[in-house]
Amino acid sequence: MAKQSMQFLKVGLIISLFTLAACSSSSDVEDATEGNQSASGNNSGSSATTNPGGSGNQLTQDQIRAQAALRQTIFYFEFDIAEFDAGDRDTLTFHARDLATNTGKRIRLEGHADERGTREYNLALGERRANGILNYLIVNGASRSQIEVVSYGEEQPAVSGSSEGAYRQNRRVEIVGR
Amino acid sequence: MKLRHLFPALAFWLISLPSLAELSIQITQGIDNPIPIAIVPFSMQGSGILSEDVSQIVTNDLEQVGEFRALPPSNMLGLPSQESEVFFRDWRILAQDYLLVGRIDQAPGSQLVQVQYEFFDINRELKLAGEVLTGSVAQLRDIGHEISNVVFEHVTGLRGAFTTQLLYIVSDYVSPELTYFRLEKSDYDGQRSQVLLESQEPVMSPSWSPNGQDVAYVSFETDLPRIYIQNIATGQKRQITNYPNINSSPVWSPDGTKLAMVLSKDGSPDIYVQDLVSNELVRITNHPAIETEPSWTPDGRTVVFMSDRTGQPQIYQIALGASAFDVERLTYDCFQCAKAKFLPDGVNLMHVRRETRQNPSYQIAILNIETLRVITLTDTSLDESPSLAPNGSMIMYATKYNGRGVLDAVSIDGRVKFRLPSTQGDVREPAWSPFLN
């Protein structure tokens, strides 16, 4: 009984988070993110639980979306902002579900900052970014013990240089298998 | 005349590898009326050609700090090497204020040299200093820097910092999969660099122990940021921390018994102090925001740190033993103020400053916490990691030049600047040593 209500609670939480994601991503005019994830303009296909009586065809679509989402392992951040982009919520939810399903899977969240600002603050900022994603993954079904967080601050830029373009690619959290 | 033996512990230099990335100084900004000084090329007695030009080392030292302008030897009317050969009138005609002469003796086949020098005030026709320094051929640079110390102190009244050293980090990009991170040590002018640690994972935040014998730093060599202390002479290191999450920013207390650091084991980064004798760990701040970049006040009783509890980095301080809520905010007039440390006067606060939200540009500045006057010392846009020379005369800091990380130095009044360009890799996080002798 207790287990069932827990499950129910979890599903309810996922649904509400999805709704939230759909709302905020529709107002989000940021440039296209990495990967081939399609923008979630509506929430029709976001979860089988929201579409009663989903056909087999739809399930395959969902699987394809999940696979595409899992291929996106880098998440980018705005300057001076520690919260991940609202447009990445769906993708991160697929990652959380993947961890919930595959309980033996272990990942590392590696947080990074661009070179602006002091190094030790950037180290802390990278951790704050990674923790934001960590908390989201846990809320959506992953277990804390599956995830290690490490911040590299500005010490390991993805791209060298001091251009806005380089900075954009360096403010990131990477999901790394381990 | 005094006789001195210089630095018996030559053994250090044999231990670690010389670095490929030799730094050499460029003066980027001097003062308007430098003091004219004649440094006569030292005469060489005995056989052999020495690898170092002692009088040139003194010339470079004195010109780098900007206070002096050396007379080119080609303009000199004579080349005296000792007092009996000095005619003050010659140097007055050339409008020189000070004169340095000297001679180097090397016994045939010997690795030992004797450097005799004499330093004169031309206007007062007075010998201010003179001694014989003895050392090995490999110590000629030390001898030159020591002579610079004597000259500098006689003229400015301030102890010279020419025999001090730097620690810094070099990041050497090889390929997308491979970057070498090195902790290096060099003379204050970037010469004679040595690698103290090389890793394929980041190395950060070098900090000198107050006695100049050890360095604390952060290394990711276990894949996680952990604090280590390494003996500079022997290279022996030990891991100091292994707490979950961030372990960073180690800074020695002025008496060398404690290490301030940042740990995020309890959720968010906070300041802690570890006693290096008892290993007792004391939590200093307790706030869900980021607290980092600790430094000590000169009396060692208070820790200065950065916190973004108001949304952006600002500087705060808290006395050791005070309640974690008893925090005093020190900066208000900047969009971001970070990486602060008090100068020895305990009033002027050296820090990294970003004035406005609109302009993400970071400069080295000094805030007087009594008058609230701010002096911004630098004008490039990515300046960070300021470190004060032990005589308080200059600040070394990291910046970018032509897309590369370089070390710059600026005098405490902002009038003089010099740069240590690197031939290889990005150089950053300079830490200026205490006086070492």
Side-chain angles (χ1 to χ4, degrees):
Chain A
M1 272 297 275
K3 198 178 174 188
Q4 246 174 2
S5 64
M6 268 290 277
Q7 214 88 52
F8 180 75
L9 191 71
K10 210 178 263 179
V11 169
L13 199 57
I14 290 170
I15 293 169
S16 62
L17 284 164
F18 265 107
T19 318
L20 197 66
C23 288
S24 45
S25 66
S26 61
S27 64
D28 184 24
V29 289
E30 264 312 299
D31 51 352
T33 46
E34 279 291 286
N36 39 14
Q37 155 215 28
S38 59
S40 57
N42 57 67
N43 61 357
S44 62
S46 62
S47 170
T49 53
T50 59
N51 281 336
S55 67
N57 194 17
Q58 221 165 356
L59 202 68
T60 311
Q61 198 112 36
D62 201 40
Q63 280 170 338
I64 290 166
R65 276 171 50 80
Q67 278 167 6
L70 292 179
R71 275 198 298 274
Q72 186 191 332
T73 56
I74 306 181
F75 301 87
Y76 297 95
F77 291 73
E78 289 303 298
F79 182 44
D80 276 348
I81 299 292
E83 289 75 37
F84 62 84
D85 198 278
D88 286 329
R89 281 208 176 97
D90 287 2
T91 306
L92 287 168
T93 308
F94 280 114
H95 278 281
R97 278 203 227 154
D98 180 53
L99 288 166
T101 310
N102 304 299
T103 52
K105 191 168 177 178
R106 298 282 181 276
I107 62 161
R108 197 169 141 101
L109 294 174
E110 299 184 344
H112 300 268
D114 71 35
E115 67 177 353
R116 289 173 292 184
T118 52
R119 289 184 175 271
E120 284 150 349
Y121 184 51
N122 280 331
L123 188 68
L125 212 51
E127 184 182 77
R128 189 185 268 171
R129 285 174 175 154
N131 278 340
I133 290 184
L134 167 75
N135 292 335
Y136 186 83
L137 294 178
I138 290 171
V139 165
N140 285 285
S143 160
R144 177 67 186 87
S145 61
Q146 290 176 280
I147 307 168
E148 178 177 77
V149 167
V150 63
S151 174
Y152 287 96
E154 61 178 281
E155 307 304 312
Q156 287 196 329
V159 178
S160 64
S162 301
S163 66
E164 281 302 327
Y167 290 157
R168 192 178 300 278
Q169 292 182 69
N170 290 336
R171 291 187 302 267
R172 69 201 193 277
V173 171
E174 296 189 22
I175 295 180
V176 179
R178 64 182 170 112
Chain B
M1 191 157 291
K2 285 186 291 176
L3 271 168
R4 276 202 284 164
H5 282 275
L6 229 69
F7 315 109
L10 168 67
F12 298 3
W13 299 333
L14 307 175
I15 292 165
S16 43
L17 304 162
S19 148
L20 293 171
E22 194 91 330
L23 306 159
S24 65
I25 282 190
Q26 287 174 359
I27 300 159
T28 52
Q29 181 184 316
I31 61 173
D32 291 338
N33 294 303
I35 298 160
I37 182 169
I39 300 167
V40 181
F42 286 12
S43 69
M44 180 68 205
Q45 318 291 320
S47 59
I49 297 159
L50 296 174
S51 56
E52 301 283 0
D53 181 341
V54 174
S55 48
Q56 189 60 50
I57 291 168
V58 178
T59 303
N60 291 347
D61 280 344
L62 296 175
E63 290 201 325
Q64 272 146 27
V65 295
E67 316 253 356
F68 297 87
R69 188 186 57 228
L71 181 71
S74 56
N75 292 359
M76 293 176 184
L77 303 174
L79 300 174
S81 64
Q82 54 192 313
E83 186 171 16
S84 61
E85 299 164 5
V86 170
F87 300 102
F88 287 108
R89 186 196 56 212
D90 287 357
W91 304 101
R92 264 200 305 276
I93 290 168
L94 294 167
Q96 299 303 298
D97 286 353
Y98 295 96
L99 171 67
L100 179 71
V101 302
R103 48 181 279 175
I104 302 172
D105 289 280
Q106 184 181 23
S110 168
Q111 282 302 298
L112 280 180
V113 287
Q114 282 197 338
V115 180
Q116 175 193 312
Y117 74 90
E118 291 164 289
F119 181 53
F120 303 93
D121 179 329
I122 291 163
N123 297 314
R124 290 194 288 159
E125 301 197 357
L126 192 68
K127 184 157 103 175
L128 298 173
E131 59 185 330
V132 177
L133 298 172
T134 305
S136 73
V137 172
Q139 290 173 305
L140 278 168
R141 289 201 77 83
D142 299 295
I143 290 171
H145 290 319
E146 184 55 29
I147 296 170
S148 302
N149 281 342
V150 172
V151 169
F152 184 81
E153 185 161 354
H154 270 285
V155 175
T156 67
L158 204 62
R159 188 171 173 188
F162 300 106
T163 46
T164 57
Q165 298 182 326
L166 301 175
L167 293 168
Y168 51 87
I169 305 294
V170 179
S171 146
D172 195 359
Y173 175 91
V174 178
S175 70
E177 289 77 36
L178 181 61
T179 298
Y180 286 109
F181 297 88
R182 288 191 293 268
L183 170 64
E184 295 191 4
K185 180 180 75 107
S186 74
D187 291 355
Y188 94 96
D189 56 2
Q191 298 292 315
R192 294 192 296 192
S193 57
Q194 303 161 25
V195 177
L196 301 183
L197 178 77
E198 183 173 77
S199 174
Q200 294 182 26
E201 299 296 328
V203 181
M204 294 179 72
S205 308
S207 168
W208 288 92
S209 66
N211 64 12
Q213 291 175 3
D214 297 297
V215 50
Y217 56 81
V218 173
S219 168
F220 285 68
E221 63 196 61
T222 63
D223 266 355
L224 296 167
R226 297 293 178 257
I227 296 169
Y228 298 79
I229 290 178
Q230 181 169 326
N231 183 278
I232 290 171
T234 67
Q236 278 195 329
K237 66 172 182 172
R238 59 196 168 105
Q239 188 173 341
I240 296 298
T241 65
N242 192 21
Y243 299 103
N245 306 327
I246 286 175
N247 300 192
S248 74
S249 312
V251 187
W252 253 284
S253 61
D255 67 1
T257 63
K258 297 189 265 309
L259 208 57
M261 61 182 69
V262 173
L263 304 173
S264 63
K265 65 189 181 69
D266 298 317
S268 68
D270 272 299
I271 312 296
Y272 292 76
V273 169
Q274 181 159 332
D275 188 301
L276 289 171
V277 180
S278 69
N279 279 331
E280 183 195 13
L281 185 71
V282 176
R283 186 173 186 168
I284 304 297
T285 65
N286 188 345
H287 195 283
I290 290 170
E291 278 73 36
T292 187
E293 299 169 359
S295 68
W296 298 83
T297 53
D299 66 8
R301 290 182 187 163
T302 297
V303 174
V304 174
F305 61 96
M306 182 229 89
S307 170
D308 70 353
R309 59 186 64 186
T310 60
Q312 293 297 335
Q314 295 290 338
I315 312 298
Y316 301 78
Q317 68 177 7
I318 182 167
L320 287 191
S323 146
F325 301 101
D326 210 2
V327 164
E328 183 187 355
R329 182 170 170 179
L330 297 177
T331 57
Y332 291 91
D333 67 331
C334 45
F335 178 64
Q336 294 185 349
C337 278
K339 193 68 181 174
K341 187 181 183 186
F342 274 108
L343 302 189
D345 61 15
V347 175
N348 284 294
L349 187 73
M350 169 176 80
H351 63 284
V352 176
R353 163 175 290 254
R354 172 175 161 192
E355 289 291 350
T356 63
R357 174 185 286 276
Q358 293 73 28
N359 183 10
S361 167
Y362 300 82
Q363 274 99 31
I364 310 302
I366 291 177
L367 164 71
N368 182 309
I369 61 159
E370 285 172 1
T371 64
L372 301 183
R373 184 165 173 236
V374 175
I375 302 172
T376 301
L377 297 176
T378 64
D379 50 16
T380 32
S381 65
L382 289 166
D383 307 337
E384 62 180 0
S385 308
S387 178
L388 185 71
N391 66 0
S393 66
M394 299 205 92
I395 293 171
M396 188 79 68
Y397 60 98
T399 186
K400 285 243 167 159
Y401 180 69
N402 285 342
R404 296 263 299 277
V406 295
L407 303 186
D408 275 13
V410 60
S411 61
I412 205 74
D413 58 10
R415 291 194 303 168
V416 179
K417 289 196 175 94
F418 66 79
R419 170 169 299 148
L420 287 66
S422 159
T423 54
Q424 191 179 336
D426 285 295
V427 188
R428 61 210 191 200
E429 294 196 275
W432 208 316
S433 76
F435 287 116
L436 298 170
N437 53 336

